[in-house]
Structure formats: C-alpha cells, structure tokens
Amino acid sequence: MAILIDGKSLSKSFLAKIRQELGEFKANNANFQVGLAIVQVGDRADSNIYIRNKLRTAGDVGINAKHLKFNRSVNESILIDEINKLNSDPKIHGIIVQLPFDSENSIDSDLIVNTVSPNKDVDGLHYANAGKILHGQVDKAFVPCTPKGCLELIKSTGVDLKGKNAVVVGRSKLVGSPMANLLKLNDCTVTICHSKTVDLPTICRSADILVVGIGKPKFVKSDWVKPGAVVVDCGINSVQSGEKNKICGDVDFEDVSKMAKFITPVPGGVGPMTVTMLLQNTLESAKRYYMNYEVDAQWKCG
Amino acid sequence: MAILIDGKSLSKSFLAKIRQELGEFKANNANFQVGLAIVQVGDRADSNIYIRNKLRTAGDVGINAKHLKFNRSVNESILIDEINKLNSDPKIHGIIVQLPFDSENSIDSDLIVNTVSPNKDVDGLHYANAGKILHGQVDKAFVPCTPKGCLELIKSTGVDLKGKNAVVVGRSKLVGSPMANLLKLNDCTVTICHSKTVDLPTICRSADILVVGIGKPKFVKSDWVKPGAVVVDCGINSVQSGEKNKICGDVDFEDVSKMAKFITPVPGGVGPMTVTMLLQNTLESAKRYYMNYEVDAQWKCG
Ligand SMILES: NC(=O)C1=CN([C@@H]2O[C@H](COP(=O)(O)OP(=O)(O)OC[C@H]3O[C@@H](n4cnc5c(N)ncnc54)[C@H](OP(=O)(O)O)[C@@H]3O)[C@@H](O)[C@H]2O)C=CC1
Ligand SMILES: NC(=O)C1=CN([C@@H]2O[C@H](COP(=O)(O)OP(=O)(O)OC[C@H]3O[C@@H](n4cnc5c(N)ncnc54)[C@H](OP(=O)(O)O)[C@@H]3O)[C@@H](O)[C@H]2O)C=CC1
C-alpha cells in the first residue's frame, strides 16, 4: 500500500515556520508587518467559504488580512481604482482577487488580475509572473499556490526529481501549465496531457511523478499508474454519497493506493497546501519589500 | 525518403504576404507605415551579420527598420532612456534588442529586454508576452520568432496536430519552452526534454512531431525517430568540413531523412522563418496599434 503524503501535516509545519519567521522579523523591527488584501465582488457562497478560510489562516500566522467585499453593482473602473490604491499601499504586500466574480456588470477578470502589481500578485496570476515561470526565474516570481503546494508535497517524499518522468494531466493556467513548468525547472522530463490526449492511460503509466488536475471524480485508476510512482491529486469534486455530498479527487484513491508508492489524499492533500502557499508567497513578498526599501522610512509612512 | 519542409520557400511566401498586406494598408491610408528598431551594443561580428539580414529583409517588405548601434562604453541607464524613447515613438511598432551584448559595462539583459514595451516586443521576450503564452493568450501576445516559425513549418505539412505526441528537445526560454507551450495550445500532448532527460532516444521515438533545439551537431539519429514523424531542426552549428566551416543542424539530416516523413533542412529550414516571423510580428504590432488608436491623429504627430 502507498505511503500517504499528508498535506494537512505538511501544511501545519509550513504554517509554523511562517509564523516563526514573521515573529522573528517583528522582533528585529518594530515596524515590520505583513498585509494581505482579498478582493471579492458579490457574494458567492463558495467564495465566502474560501475567503473565510484564508482570513482565519492568515490571522493564525500573524498576517494582517483585509477583506474588500464589493457588492454586485461595482464596475470595472471602480475596481481598478481600488486595486491601484492597494498597489501603492505600503502596508499591503499581497493582493488576491477572488474568482469568479459575482457581478451585475461585465468585468474583464484578466484585466483586473493584471491590474494587481506583479510585486504583490501572491496568487501568481499576473502575466509577468507567469512569464518569469516560463523563463525559469522562479525566485523573482510568485508561483501559483496550487502547483507550488504540489511541488512541496512531491519534495516531501524525498524522491530525487532529476531525470524523472513526470506526467501532468490538465493544462490550465492555474494548475496544469505552471505545474509542468515547475517540474521541468526541477529537471524532470515532463509530459503535459489534456482532453485531446490520445491513450492517456499509457502515457500516465510512464510517469514516475503523476500530477492530476482535471476536475473528474476518481478518473485515474490503478492500471494507469506505474508501480512505485508518486501520485498527486489536485482534484476537488463534490459527489453524492448516500444522502450527503462528499469531496473526492480526480484519482481513484483506494484503487491507486495499491500501485503508487506515495499518494496524496483528497481531502487533506493538495487543498491545505494551497492556502499555506498563499501565505508563504505573502511573507515572501513582504521580505522582498523589506530587502529592497529603506524599511524604517517606508513602513512608518503607511 | 522524407519530404523536405522548405523553409526558404515558405518564408518567401510569408514575406510576399507581408509585403502585400502592408501595401494594402498604405494604399488605404497615406500615413500608415511600419517601423522596427534594432538596438545593438558593441560590434560582435555575428550580431552584425544577423542585423544586416534583418534590415535588408525588413526593407524588402516595406518596413522601416532603424539600427541603433551603441558603442561598448554605453551603460544601462542610457540604454533604458533610449528604449523608453522608442517605446513612446509612434513611428516605431517593433523594438528588438540584439543579444548578447558586447559591452564594457555590466548590463542586465533581462532588465533591458523587459524595458521594451510588451506592445512593441516583437521578439516575444518580455515576461508579459511569455506569460500570455503560458496562459494560452497567443492572440494578445508576441510569440518568439523561432518557435513561431517552427509551428508554421509544421502546419505547412498539413499534418493535423490534435492529439499528436510532440517531443521538444531543449527547454530554453527562447526556443524549447515556448515551443512546447505552442504545441500544447495546438492540442498536442507535449513532452519537454533537456540535458537531464534519461533515455532520450526512447522518448524521441514516441514523437509524431519532434522539434530539436539543443546546439549539438547531428545529435539526433534515425533510430531515435518514429517512422512517419515530422522532424523540425532548430540547430545552427558551425562545423569544420575540410578547410571550410559548414552549418549543420542538431539532427543528422542524411540519416533521419530515411525515417521521417517530413524534415526541415539546415540551412534552409527554421533559419529563414525566424527573420520572417520577426517581420510578421512587427506588422501585427502595427495593425494592433492601427486598430486601437485614431490613426490619423496619431500617425501624423510622429
Ligand atoms: N486544491 C486546490 O486548492 C485547487 C484545486 N483545483 C481543482 O483541480 C482541478 C482542475 O482545476 P483547473 O485546472 O482549474 O480546471 P480547468 O477546468 O481549468 O482545467 C481542467 C483541465 O483538465 C483537462 N481535462 C478535462 N477532462 C479531461 C480528460 N478526460 N482527460 C484529460 N484531461 C482532461 C482539460 O483539458 P482541456 O484543456 O483540453 O479542456 C483542462 O486542461 C479541479 O478539480 C479543481 O477543483 C483547482 C484549483 C485549486
Ligand atoms: N534558427 C534560429 O533562428 C535559431 C536557432 N537557434 C539554435 O537552436 C539551438 C538551441 O538554441 P537555444 O535554445 O537558444 O540554446 P540554449 O543553449 O539556451 O539551450 C539548449 C537546450 O538544449 C538542452 N540540451 C543541451 N544538450 C543536450 C543533450 N545532450 N540532450 C538533451 N538536451 C540537451 C539544454 O538542456 P539544459 O537546460 O539541461 O542545459 C537546453 O535546454 C542552437 O543550435 C541555436 O543555435 C537558436 C535561436 C534561433
């Protein structure tokens, strides 16, 4: 049976490190603080849950998170003005835009996401951050939280990535495409698959590292998996189980556990790491700010 | 024997189309003109040859190309000022920075390339353009010229890309990485390989489409190639042949021709397409400018 890659526990240890590091910065510099702004339009129930979780976890580690909730009537130009205010606010180091919008007006989400300063884009969605990832300049970029978390989960197994065959199923800009690039930068030979891929099972069977993010419950079966592989499941699917709804991944966990050497569960795998990586990026952003500016001059002015 | 993918002749037909389209724009609008600026630092012999070729070909199709040659003593801040002038010059639609620099001073080439406005970055090297490619927004981006040319060469074979297995050997930001992304966006299942890849021959043999850009003369042999594959060779290597130097690709052309269905020669394959795609991007940039602005108001002011 596969060894569980425990995202909950890994996430906890990352959060503890973030809290500690932040505390040390504060101890050395009375003005040091880390601020995150979450921009929401409308009142989607799922967004409300995600945001509540982000606010709570940020608070737990000592990050000042601020929720800007606009009602459904807000328009694009107001939103742009508000984001520009956050861009120039020295107390804010991370800005995220909760998608999708719940709005009366048509709002171009690409435009809004790209209005966020690339230096505060802790979701890693700005073109400039995506470009730095394509160009291999991860240290200067913000990496999107889900693939960043997946990479940490893979690394936590201790498996050496160099020269390994990695297969990524899914090519979205949020999950699959940046994941493939991260694995490439970690010296894997990477194959990226999608709904037009022919004979997906055979391709998956070539993977030493298999990352799946497609949004299809229990899609990947044990006979798609090479014995000994590391399997990471990004899927979050709600399926009916008796009277209730249950969350499951894109991988058939029970079945694939028989074949893989390491596997992430759903829930408790990639999910918890995603929020943690957001906070990691936010701390990283504050540190870059702190390194690049005259801290005392800047932090006092806010 | 493989069918030759004739880059010279494809390039000629693209250039003819560019010339014609540009002529039509001019006929409809007396003020329409397309401008390209080439920024060079120092006096490298290879750069001089490349630039001469670009200037000549631009002139042939009716693009006004301007060569800004700075001497080796120029510094970063002067270069930034000059690029900013070009960024705001309404007669200039494309700006390219010839790399590598030949300079006395240390100049950060990433900084200089990213000083070029993404709207005029016809080499497709700005982070924002790379990011749009990663995000699948090719229509809003400028795609780097070599992979863009390779894609046209592949498409010229008439092979349907959807669901094909593509293997890209090389992961550079200029060639391999954008190439892999373009093939992904064209519905190939894409594997990207590099110097840490284990058992490259076997992976190459799985390719319906094989693109090689590594800088190793005649590296890829016929037994690495699936019968019937499309093989595109980006390599430009200078090798001694008797008394003289000869140019050859990364693929052993004679040998691989026995196995592939379609193959690009070197020279006469990818090379000619690269300059042509630069001019295609420059015309595209001028068209975007023309679409987005009050042409008469803008073009006269220059
Ligand atoms: N854990 C977390 O915090 C997060 C989890 N997720 C979850 O990850 C999953 C993917 O999310 P996301 O990338 O945003 O989703 P998208 O819908 O944007 O992308 C899905 C991708 O999967 C591919 N795909 C769909 N069906 C198949 C199939 N049958 N075979 C092969 N490929 C297929 C699609 O291919 P094509 O491009 O051809 O359409 C597409 O590239 C979802 O379950 C989502 O809930 C997402 C974000 C965060
Ligand atoms: N036709 C044209 O107009 C152009 C042609 N070129 C030519 O294309 C080729 C590649 O250029 P470029 O991408 O800029 O070069 P780079 O040197 O930047 O990248 C070379 C890539 O090839 C990989 N590589 C090197 N050796 C091997 C090997 N033995 N097996 C597998 N992969 C290997 C490297 O891997 P790793 O990352 O692990 O080091 C790297 O990713 C060159 O010949 C260049 O002259 C380039 C640009 C324009």
Side-chain angles (χ1 to χ4, degrees):
Chain A
M1 285 298 285
I3 300 167
L4 210 71
I5 310 178
D6 184 346
K8 247 190 191 157
S9 122
L10 188 65
S11 174
K12 265 191 197 148
S13 72
F14 267 91
L15 290 171
K17 260 186 273 171
I18 295 170
R19 195 183 305 113
Q20 190 195 341
E21 205 177 342
L22 207 155
E24 281 165 11
F25 271 104
K26 276 188 177 159
N28 290 327
N29 195 307
N31 293 311
F32 188 85
Q33 49 179 300
V34 183
L36 170 68
I38 303 177
V39 176
Q40 182 184 15
V41 174
D43 195 38
R44 281 178 65 113
D46 56 351
S47 293
N48 291 337
I49 295 172
Y50 292 137
I51 290 172
R52 211 176 308 138
N53 185 16
K54 290 170 190 174
L55 291 169
R56 198 194 54 237
T57 319
D60 286 349
V61 297
I63 289 177
N64 308 322
K66 166 167 148 178
H67 183 190
L68 286 86
K69 188 167 182 165
F70 297 93
N71 66 39
R72 299 185 68 251
S73 63
V74 75
N75 64 32
E76 208 170 74
S77 87
I78 295 178
L79 223 46
I80 289 175
D81 286 349
E82 291 295 329
I83 289 175
N84 279 327
K85 278 185 212 157
L86 296 169
N87 284 340
S88 54
D89 182 343
K91 285 201 223 154
I92 295 294
H93 309 95
I95 303 169
I96 65 172
V97 177
Q98 189 71 38
L99 297 175
F101 294 131
D102 165 32
S103 171
E104 280 165 20
N105 304 307
S106 113
I107 299 180
D108 179 345
S109 61
D110 280 335
L111 174 66
I112 299 300
V113 163
N114 281 285
T115 300
V116 172
S117 161
N119 298 325
K120 297 190 177 186
D121 166 44
V122 288
D123 259 346
L125 291 179
H126 193 287
Y127 294 135
N129 282 312
K132 284 177 191 170
I133 293 168
L134 188 69
H135 282 191
Q137 305 191 351
V138 170
D139 290 349
K140 293 195 212 164
F142 291 111
V143 176
C145 306
T146 299
K148 186 179 169 116
C150 289
L151 186 64
E152 293 296 348
L153 289 162
I154 296 166
K155 285 187 171 171
S156 77
T157 64
V159 166
D160 180 16
L161 291 177
K162 189 153 100 185
K164 290 291 191 308
N165 291 333
V167 172
V168 176
V169 191
R171 59 175 162 179
S172 72
K173 61 186 180 183
L174 205 64
V175 181
S177 288
M179 187 73 239
N181 274 280
L182 286 183
L183 289 165
K184 172 196 79 183
L185 296 171
N186 279 276
D187 287 338
C188 291
T189 299
V190 184
T191 302
I192 186 160
C193 303
H194 44 75
S195 70
K196 305 299 184 300
T197 291
V198 174
D199 198 3
L200 190 56
T202 301
I203 295 172
C204 289
R205 261 194 305 273
S206 73
D208 302 305
I209 320 275
L210 178 62
V211 181
V212 187
I214 56 177
K216 301 252 178 289
K218 302 192 179 187
F219 196 67
V220 174
K221 305 292 176 187
S222 62
D223 59 349
W224 298 32
V225 173
K226 184 180 187 168
V230 177
V231 178
V232 173
D233 185 354
C234 301
I236 302 181
N237 307 291
S238 176
V239 289
Q240 214 163 1
S241 157
E243 300 271 288
K244 286 197 196 158
N245 273 0
K246 256 186 86 175
I247 297 294
C248 78
D250 295 338
V251 171
D252 186 335
F253 180 82
E254 308 284 289
D255 187 31
V256 171
S257 290
K258 295 175 211 150
M259 196 61 89
K261 180 152 183 204
F262 295 97
I263 188 169
T264 60
V266 177
V270 175
M273 285 300 282
T274 296
V275 176
T276 301
M277 292 299 113
L278 171 68
L279 302 177
Q280 170 102 334
N281 279 346
T282 308
L283 175 60
E284 175 63 28
S285 177
K287 279 163 63 183
R288 288 182 198 171
Y289 179 87
Y290 179 84
M291 303 299 176
N292 288 324
Y293 295 85
E294 287 294 321
V295 174
D296 281 321
Q298 292 280 333
W299 291 86
K300 275 177 190 158
C301 80
Chain B
M1 284 298 285
I3 300 168
L4 209 73
I5 311 179
D6 184 346
K8 247 191 191 159
S9 122
L10 187 66
S11 174
K12 266 191 196 150
S13 73
F14 267 92
L15 290 171
K17 260 187 272 170
I18 295 170
R19 195 183 304 115
Q20 190 194 343
E21 206 178 339
L22 207 156
E24 281 165 10
F25 271 105
K26 276 189 177 159
N28 291 326
N29 196 307
N31 294 311
F32 188 85
Q33 50 178 299
V34 182
L36 170 68
I38 304 176
V39 176
Q40 181 183 14
V41 174
D43 194 39
R44 279 178 67 112
D46 56 350
S47 293
N48 291 339
I49 295 173
Y50 292 136
I51 290 173
R52 211 177 307 139
N53 185 15
K54 290 171 190 173
L55 291 169
R56 198 194 55 236
T57 319
D60 286 349
V61 297
I63 290 177
N64 309 321
K66 169 166 145 178
H67 183 192
L68 286 86
K69 189 165 180 165
F70 296 93
N71 65 40
R72 299 185 70 249
S73 63
V74 75
N75 64 31
E76 209 170 73
S77 89
I78 294 179
L79 223 45
I80 289 174
D81 285 348
E82 291 295 329
I83 289 175
N84 280 327
K85 279 186 211 157
L86 296 169
N87 283 340
S88 54
D89 182 345
K91 286 201 225 156
I92 295 294
H93 308 94
I95 304 169
I96 65 173
V97 177
Q98 190 72 39
L99 296 174
F101 293 131
D102 164 32
S103 171
E104 280 166 21
N105 304 306
S106 113
I107 299 181
D108 178 345
S109 61
D110 281 334
L111 174 67
I112 298 301
V113 162
N114 282 284
T115 300
V116 173
S117 161
N119 298 326
K120 298 191 177 187
D121 166 43
V122 288
D123 260 345
L125 291 180
H126 192 287
Y127 294 136
N129 282 312
K132 286 179 190 169
I133 293 168
L134 189 70
H135 282 190
Q137 304 191 351
V138 170
D139 291 349
K140 293 194 212 163
F142 291 111
V143 176
C145 305
T146 299
K148 186 178 170 118
C150 290
L151 187 65
E152 292 296 347
L153 289 163
I154 296 166
K155 285 187 171 169
S156 77
T157 65
V159 167
D160 181 15
L161 291 178
K162 188 153 103 184
K164 291 291 192 307
N165 291 332
V167 172
V168 176
V169 190
R171 59 176 162 178
S172 72
K173 61 185 179 184
L174 204 65
V175 180
S177 289
M179 187 74 239
N181 274 279
L182 286 182
L183 290 164
K184 173 197 80 183
L185 296 171
N186 279 275
D187 288 338
C188 291
T189 300
V190 184
T191 302
I192 188 160
C193 304
H194 43 76
S195 70
K196 305 298 184 300
T197 291
V198 174
D199 198 2
L200 189 57
T202 301
I203 295 172
C204 289
R205 262 194 304 274
S206 73
D208 302 305
I209 321 274
L210 178 63
V211 181
V212 187
I214 55 176
K216 299 253 178 290
K218 302 191 180 187
F219 196 68
V220 174
K221 305 293 178 187
S222 62
D223 60 348
W224 296 34
V225 174
K226 185 180 186 167
V230 178
V231 178
V232 173
D233 184 354
C234 300
I236 303 181
N237 307 291
S238 178
V239 288
Q240 214 162 359
S241 156
E243 299 272 288
K244 287 195 196 159
N245 273 358
K246 255 185 86 175
I247 296 296
C248 78
D250 294 337
V251 172
D252 187 334
F253 181 81
E254 309 284 291
D255 186 32
V256 171
S257 290
K258 294 176 212 150
M259 197 60 92
K261 179 152 182 204
F262 294 97
I263 188 168
T264 61
V266 176
V270 174
M273 286 300 282
T274 296
V275 176
T276 300
M277 292 299 112
L278 170 67
L279 302 177
Q280 170 102 333
N281 277 347
T282 308
L283 175 61
E284 176 63 29
S285 178
K287 281 162 62 183
R288 289 183 198 169
Y289 179 86
Y290 180 84
M291 303 299 178
N292 288 325
Y293 294 86
E294 287 293 321
V295 174
D296 281 322
Q298 292 279 336
W299 290 85
K300 274 176 191 157
C301 81

